[in-house]
Amino acid sequence: MTKAIIGSPETRLRDAVKRRIAARYRAEFRFRLYGMIAIALTALFLLIVLVDILLKGLPAFTVHQFRFDVPVVLADIDPAKAKDPEVLRGADYQALVRDALRSHFPEVKDRVGRRRLDGLISSGASDTLRHQVVADPSLVGKTLSIAALVSADAELYFKGTGTAIDRKPGASTISVSGQEGPVTLSTSGSDFSEWAKAYRQRYAKLGEKLDAEVPSLLVALNGGLVKVNEISAGNISGEVLLPLKSAGDAQAGAWQLVTYLTPESNRRVKDREVAWLEALRAKGIVERSFNWRFFTSGDSREAELAGIRGALVGSALTLLVTLLICLPLGVAAAIYLEEFAPKNRATELIEVNINNLAAVPSIVFGLLGLAVFLNFFGLPRSAPLVGGLVLALLVLPTIIIASRAALKAVPPSIKEAALGVGASHQQAVFHHVLPLAMPGILTGTIIGMAHALGETAPLLMIGMVAFIVAPATSVTDAATVLPVQIYLWSDLPEIGFQAKTAAAIIVLLIFLFVMNGAAIYLRKKFERRW
């Protein structure tokens, strides 16, 4: 009897329903789980990209400089014309900065050494000094404390892309054969034998002249630095990089075994330059500060001098032209299509084409601008005027669609009430419907402008890839924009431009976040729930 009840059709039906419900719940759980996994992966990839950009770009916002006392002695100009700003502007201030740097290393007298030493400062290291003297000619003949910009290679070294340095104190007394030039060093202990053994095991270089393929070995003693060229168990032969203050013996703990862990062949900054940079850092001459030049300078072939000012000005002028064209045209077209245009095949065709234009690849608009604005109308190439016209064509469909959606969101009762109290159709639209739809229109416009700010392909097609040093002063001057500047820097082989590229991306992302944040704020502040 019990089996009959258990196996009854009603019981089997209830069991089947329960199984189907349980299977449905499991399917819903799996679907939610897949969605959470997709969101987590998306967030992870986005985090990786942002962290990578930040790690690469943040170093570009700081800069290293040498603080020098520079005597302003302008031997290349006529003293009678020392008050003329134009004459002062043309003086050779770079030579003054080079002399100030050379004064810290008077032992460097060979031509190659001086050229390498001069290469530690940027070609724009004297800009600050020039500006000060031109602004105040009375500074001629005085000694000024200036901050001289370091070269790109020196900048990279100070930011950690040179080599790690390992230092070990000497455990015995060491003697040296001289203070300059080639020298021989020997110790009373086994410091060199252990060092030689380690190199024999790893590089098999014992008894041979060490080359640039292995980590550089140096000895710091008596206030100087000796680079090891040949190593054996009892002594070493080397070349003095920084002159020794004396040739006397150095006791245990008073000297160091120094290793530049990255081989010289894998570094742009060689051993001699590393020694100079470390000596300057030890003297407190090296300063680190915020890199205002990145925002106040135009483009340059020198990584340490390159800035985004020209690109920022070009982007502002281009977006201004875009806004002045696409906002009134887009809103007017949306009002006409939504409120005044007759509903027939012609307007349906126009609407379909507007929707299709919103999905057209941006490079097509670049080709259109090249054919129409440049080739047919003959407008100036690489100008914000042409860039703004092209981007206006790109953004116009987006603004029309957003504006129409904002107009549709206004309840019809508002317009009907206006018509009911005697307002004309035009008055009802412009006095009542349009003000209520304006928050949505502004939101769509800001999003469209943010889209235009990040576009590169159409601007490349109209030639906005010029090398621009001075910012544009009008919409017809040659200019570039921030996305194109990023594209240009990313294609350069110099390592210093990698950080500049990432930093420019950070600036562009900040602008995009601000514009999208403004759109969200306006929508939340002025949006009405009907």
Side-chain angles (χ1 to χ4, degrees):
M1 184 70 176
T2 304
K3 293 182 179 179
I5 294 175
I6 294 175
S8 64
E10 294 83 1
T11 304
R12 292 196 298 272
L13 179 60
R14 284 196 297 272
D15 292 341
V17 171
K18 291 180 179 178
R19 288 193 297 272
R20 286 197 296 271
I21 292 175
R24 186 180 66 188
Y25 286 160
R26 288 195 299 271
E28 291 179 354
F29 174 77
R30 287 194 300 271
F31 182 77
R32 290 197 298 269
L33 180 62
Y34 295 154
M36 289 187 291
I37 292 175
I39 293 174
L41 288 176
T42 303
L44 177 61
F45 293 150
L46 179 61
L47 180 63
I48 291 173
V49 171
L50 292 178
V51 170
D52 181 65
I53 293 174
L54 287 174
L55 292 178
K56 291 181 178 178
L58 288 179
F61 292 104
T62 59
V63 65
H64 289 84
Q65 298 171 319
F66 294 141
R67 176 63 64 176
F68 291 140
D69 289 332
V70 180
V72 187
V73 180
L74 304 177
D76 57 332
I77 67 173
D78 186 356
K81 299 180 179 180
K83 302 296 183 179
D84 188 349
E86 292 300 325
V87 175
L88 291 177
R89 189 174 288 108
D92 188 4
Y93 297 93
Q94 191 73 8
L96 301 180
V97 179
R98 287 198 303 266
D99 291 341
L101 175 60
R102 291 175 181 178
S103 66
H104 291 276
F105 304 99
E107 72 280 1
V108 181
K109 299 177 181 178
D110 59 294
R111 185 175 181 181
V112 175
R114 286 199 168 189
R115 186 169 63 250
R116 288 187 173 276
L117 184 61
D118 296 342
L120 298 182
I121 58 174
S122 169
S123 59
S126 60
D127 291 347
T128 302
L129 179 61
R130 176 181 287 104
H131 295 327
Q132 291 181 357
V133 174
V134 171
D136 185 5
S138 65
L139 297 177
V140 176
K142 298 180 180 180
T143 298
L144 302 180
S145 176
I146 69 162
L149 191 66
V150 304
S151 66
D153 291 339
E155 181 72 27
L156 291 173
Y157 175 81
F158 285 132
K159 289 179 178 177
T161 60
T163 177
I165 300 177
D166 180 53
R167 302 177 186 271
K168 294 181 180 179
S172 58
T173 303
I174 187 172
S175 60
V176 61
S177 62
Q179 295 178 257
E180 295 184 2
V183 295
T184 301
L185 299 130
S186 58
T187 64
S188 59
S190 59
D191 299 87
F192 294 162
S193 62
E194 295 178 358
W195 213 9
K197 181 179 178 181
Y199 260 68
R200 183 194 304 116
Q201 292 174 349
R202 188 167 183 181
Y203 302 107
K205 293 292 184 182
L206 182 63
E208 301 177 9
K209 187 172 182 180
L210 304 186
D211 56 29
E213 301 297 326
V214 300
S216 301
L217 303 178
L218 305 102
V219 178
L221 76 160
N222 298 341
L225 192 66
V226 178
K227 178 182 178 181
V228 178
N229 292 330
E230 189 173 351
I231 181 171
S232 63
N235 55 62
I236 61 175
S237 299
E239 179 185 0
V240 175
L241 297 184
L242 296 177
L244 282 61
K245 295 180 180 178
S246 71
D249 294 348
Q251 302 301 316
W255 61 282
Q256 292 180 329
L257 300 171
V258 182
T259 306
Y260 295 165
L261 298 178
T262 303
E264 192 175 27
S265 60
N266 296 339
R267 288 185 268 121
R268 293 182 62 87
V269 180
K270 305 306 179 183
D271 291 338
R272 200 176 183 184
E273 295 163 294
V274 171
W276 292 331
L277 293 174
E278 290 297 325
L280 292 171
R281 176 147 54 184
K283 293 180 180 180
I285 292 176
V286 180
E287 296 181 350
R288 184 179 182 183
S289 60
F290 186 78
N291 189 11
W292 293 107
R293 186 185 292 268
F294 181 68
F295 296 96
T296 59
S297 300
D299 197 6
S300 174
R301 299 300 183 190
E302 305 294 334
E304 72 276 10
L305 300 177
I308 60 173
R309 182 186 175 190
L312 289 177
V313 174
S315 296
L317 292 175
T318 302
L319 290 182
L320 178 62
V321 174
T322 303
L323 183 64
L324 293 178
I325 294 175
C326 66
L327 180 59
L329 288 180
V331 174
I335 293 174
Y336 175 77
L337 291 174
E338 191 63 33
E339 299 292 345
F340 296 97
K343 305 302 179 184
N344 51 34
R345 290 187 176 181
T347 56
E348 290 179 359
L349 181 62
I350 293 174
E351 293 175 1
V352 169
N353 281 288
I354 290 174
N355 293 329
N356 288 336
L357 285 174
V360 169
S362 59
I363 196 170
V364 175
F365 293 96
L367 293 171
L368 177 64
L370 176 63
V372 176
F373 300 130
L374 295 183
N375 295 338
F376 184 77
F377 288 107
L379 296 178
R381 191 178 183 86
S382 188
L385 175 61
V386 180
L389 290 171
V390 172
L391 293 181
L393 295 177
L394 175 66
V395 175
L396 199 56
T398 302
I399 294 180
I400 293 175
I401 293 172
S403 300
R404 293 192 65 186
L407 293 169
K408 287 180 181 179
V410 178
S413 58
I414 294 177
K415 183 172 67 173
E416 293 170 357
L419 295 174
V421 297
S424 66
H425 189 194
Q426 179 179 348
Q427 289 174 328
V429 171
F430 284 96
H431 294 175
H432 300 278
V433 177
L434 183 59
L436 295 176
M438 191 56 66
I441 294 174
L442 291 178
T443 300
T445 302
I446 293 174
I447 293 175
M449 297 302 293
H451 178 200
L453 177 62
E455 280 296 336
T456 305
L459 301 180
L460 293 177
M461 294 304 301
I462 61 170
M464 293 193 74
V465 290
F467 178 76
I468 304 298
V469 177
T473 57
S474 69
V475 294
T476 56
D477 291 342
T480 187
V481 292
L482 199 53
V484 175
Q485 187 70 76
I486 294 171
Y487 167 77
L488 292 175
W489 282 351
S490 66
D491 197 41
L492 297 176
E494 290 84 353
I495 300 176
F497 281 105
Q498 294 179 4
K500 291 293 178 78
T501 302
I505 292 174
I506 293 174
V507 174
L508 180 61
L509 288 176
I510 290 174
F511 276 112
L512 294 177
F513 289 155
V514 169
M515 294 178 74
N516 283 278
I520 295 173
Y521 172 78
L522 290 174
R523 185 176 68 245
K524 289 186 176 295
K525 183 174 179 63
F526 298 106
E527 186 179 33
R528 293 191 180 185
R529 300 288 182 180
W530 308 104

